[in-house]
């Protein structure tokens, strides 16, 4: 058995456990990965924000109650098409007070363009990819060793 990559470990694990157990392991991995991705996304948004005080931005009466970086949504979902997956950031159907984070701002003659949450999330994923892969490897190896009765 070759356990040099988490893909190989996952393939071996699939042979020994049923779908429900595999779903449970995947959900655990996704939850941990989402926490890492969420923390990195918050850090990216706050590092590029113009101000940590949003009381002066926007039109009076239309200001959100908090900073978008403090309100980044995250959730674990299950679907027939994709299985267990995680979402960090705003989706198209978002109606929260920070819904504007999903729009591209192209700028005006006086204001430069702004990055959308999509860019922050992409950068956060790049920065934390190694850590997420380590989690996947660790959790799949742990589950496989439990199934096979190995002690590490």
């Amino acid at each position: 058995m070759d356990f040099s990559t988490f893909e190989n470990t996952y393939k071996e694990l699939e042979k020994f456990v049923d779908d429900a157990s595999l779903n449970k392991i995947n959900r655990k991995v996704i939850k941990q990965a989402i926490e890492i991705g969420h923390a990195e996304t918050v850090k990216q948004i706050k590092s590029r924000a113009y101000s940590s005080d949003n009381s002066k931005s926007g039109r009076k009466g239309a200001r959100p109650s908090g900073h978008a970086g403090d309100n980044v949504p995250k959730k674990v979902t299950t679907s027939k098409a994709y299985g267990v997956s995680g979402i960090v950031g705003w989706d198209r159907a978002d109606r929260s007070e920070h819904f504007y984070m999903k729009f591209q701002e192209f700028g005006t003659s006086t204001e430069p363009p702004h990055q959308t949450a999509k860019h922050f999330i992409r950068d956060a994923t790049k920065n934390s990819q190694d850590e997420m892969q380590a989690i996947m490897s660790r959790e799949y190896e742990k589950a496989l060793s439990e199934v096979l009765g190995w002690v590490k």
Side-chain angles (χ1 to χ4, degrees), residues 26-134:
N26 286 339
R27 183 172 285 278
K28 184 178 178 182
V29 168
I30 294 292
K31 279 183 180 180
Q32 290 178 30
I34 280 181
E35 289 303 320
I36 293 166
H38 183 263
E40 185 65 32
T41 300
V42 168
K43 188 172 97 178
Q44 290 281 330
I45 289 173
K46 287 189 163 200
S47 71
R48 296 177 188 177
Y50 294 115
S51 171
S52 60
D53 177 21
N54 69 333
S55 66
K56 297 172 186 73
S57 64
R59 192 177 76 236
K60 203 171 197 169
R63 295 181 186 129
S65 60
H67 195 280
D70 295 327
N71 295 288
V72 178
K74 60 183 176 183
K75 65 181 175 181
V76 177
T77 61
T78 305
S79 70
K80 289 182 181 178
Y82 301 110
V84 180
S85 62
I87 300 171
V88 175
W90 295 266
D91 63 356
R92 290 182 180 191
D94 193 313
R95 301 282 187 256
S96 71
E97 61 183 352
H98 298 285
F99 70 94
Y100 58 86
M101 289 299 288
K102 61 187 172 186
F103 300 125
Q104 173 71 41
E105 294 184 30
F106 293 102
T108 65
S109 59
T110 58
E111 281 291 316
H114 301 275
Q115 286 190 325
T116 62
K118 179 173 68 176
H119 295 97
F120 298 126
I121 293 166
R122 183 195 63 218
D123 294 347
T125 303
K126 282 182 190 174
N127 293 346
S128 56
Q129 195 165 16
D130 292 339
E131 197 172 346
M132 289 180 192
Q133 292 221 350

